[in-house]
Amino acid sequence: MNSANTRLGAIILAACAGIAASACGCGLFETGDAPPAESLNPDFERMFRDAAGSLAKTLESGGEEGAGEAACALRGTADSESGTPRRLAALFLAGEAFLRAGLPEEAHECFSEILDLDRDLSATESVLAGAGDSVAGLAARLSAREPGRGLQLFAHVIRRETEIAFRFLAGEKRPFLGLRIIGGRALASEILTRTLECAPYSPFAAQSLYELGNYHASEGEMETAIGVYERIIRDFPEDKWRAPAEYMAARCHFEINTDIDRDTSNLDRALMRFRLFLQNNQGLPPVRISAGVESDLVKLAEWHVERIRSMLAEKQYRIARYYAGKSRPQAARFYLTTLLKEYPGTEWAARAKEELAGEPDQPEAVTQ
């Protein structure tokens, strides 16, 4: 039996016992910090106890059998309740059950509704805590503490939403007519955007930003992706995702399709960013830049630097050839000389050197 599942099962049963106590006249909120009483479904305690008890048994068994049934029962219990803290408690457990049943989109709907209804979940934590100390055990089991907030349940919901988004970005499909055939990447983007709005500096924020940037880059939205990567560089300078974000921002500038005969600004920015990346990250071990793929970003950045230098050198060479064809040898010589100075070691520098060696000396000054 999985010990973590056993502990969570015990916590759920304790929470159910606390809720059931209110039906016996013991009073659920005895700590004095509860919200005013609300008009409640009189059968809520029984429905919640039965559904959560079923989930607890599923967790104790260590498998998924029964999780879907428990999830649907908990979702129905939530939908029957008008009192916000109790509704959110049922939604929280329903989301957990849907995840264990392998239904991440249904889990997302539960967790998303929690964030829609109330981001201060202290009253909901009291519902889950029941009459005893189970809230402390729940917080320890979930390992979701956000410094300065004290809202363990809020942090846990953010974590669950982030995990669901990552699953869809990794290729998990959404159901359609009973078949899992619809990609979930667009939904993942929406989820990550929402979690970052709710908790912009959570422990999951830097990776969420990185995955969101990768999504936009894969959709060809390079400028948007660059803006997302720059948030990591600015807001999380010590995080492990900073270096991949630096590389990907440079890569996006490189990938933007422009006519370099008219505009080299993105290549210039890419070259600057790749050089800055190399300056900041020499010795960086291989890291992941896409799902399941580790890459040596230093070698990739070095390759891009040489590729960009070659592209810019080729442009200079073609300009020189244009002026040579127009019988303007001084202008041609100017561009060949500039090419040699700015892009030594390239194929085009070697060609420029050959052409200059075959020409008689010409005045260097050129009026453009």
Side-chain angles (χ1 to χ4, degrees), residues 273-289:
R273 282 185 176 271
F274 279 125
R275 283 173 167 165
L276 183 61
F277 171 84
L278 290 171
Q279 177 182 323
N280 293 337
N281 296 286
Q282 284 298 328
L284 182 73
V287 298
R288 183 177 69 82
I289 59 172

